[in-house]
């Protein structure tokens, strides 16, 4: 099992995670949120299933200022890449979709 901790900073509130299963069995990427001033210092574990021969991409978003990091665990049969996403690229400006309620 491989483990890493990512500590959030003021610039990055999103991570793009890509996992490819090169093994023969179902594998999971598991992550839990590290919460500031919490007794056990971790939120509940969240799991993402990756089937053999398949890949999966997803985004993990920081939920609040109280969340200071992520603990990420995965099997050696998973090839995992993690990319930082800069929030300013995802801040909405004006709406491209207009809905007339009348």
């Amino acid at each position: 099992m491989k483990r890493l901790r990512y500590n959030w900073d003021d610039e990055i509130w999103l991570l793009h995670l890509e996992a490819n299963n090169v093994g023969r069995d179902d594998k999971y990427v598991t992550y839990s949120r590290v919460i500031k001033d919490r007794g056990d210092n971790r939120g509940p574990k969240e799991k993402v299933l990756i089937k053999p021969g398949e890949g999966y991409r997803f985004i993990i978003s920081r939920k609040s200022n109280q969340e200071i990091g992520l603990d990420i665990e995965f099997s050696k049969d998973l090839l995992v890449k993690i990319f930082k996403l800069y929030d300013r690229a995802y801040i909405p400006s004006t709406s491209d979709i207009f809905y007339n309620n009348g």
Side-chain angles (χ1 to χ4, degrees), residues 24-82:
R24 296 180 180 206
D25 301 315
D26 290 352
K27 300 295 178 186
Y28 291 91
V29 173
T30 304
Y31 62 96
S32 57
R33 298 169 187 282
V34 180
I35 310 298
K36 182 179 175 180
D37 299 328
R38 187 174 179 154
D40 62 2
N41 209 30
R42 291 176 68 174
K45 285 188 175 185
E46 300 178 50
K47 287 180 156 184
V48 177
L49 172 67
I50 316 291
K51 297 224 173 252
E54 293 186 0
Y56 192 75
R57 295 175 179 208
F58 60 99
I59 292 176
I60 303 172
S61 175
R62 184 178 183 185
K63 290 186 175 182
S64 75
N65 286 334
Q66 296 302 310
E67 184 179 320
I68 59 174
L70 290 170
D71 285 336
I72 302 170
E73 298 178 1
F74 52 93
S75 164
K76 64 180 180 167
D77 289 335
L78 290 177
L79 300 177
V80 174
K81 295 179 184 175
I82 300 172

Side-chain angles (χ1 to χ4, degrees), residues 2-29:
K2 296 182 181 181
R3 292 179 175 88
L4 69 91
R5 171 163 296 177
Y6 179 78
N7 294 314
W8 295 114
D9 60 36
D10 291 336
E11 289 289 316
I12 305 296
W13 280 52
L14 298 166
L15 293 179
H16 174 125
L17 196 142
E18 177 182 328
N20 291 290
N21 187 346
V22 296
R24 296 180 180 206
D25 301 315
D26 290 352
K27 300 295 178 186
Y28 291 91
V29 173

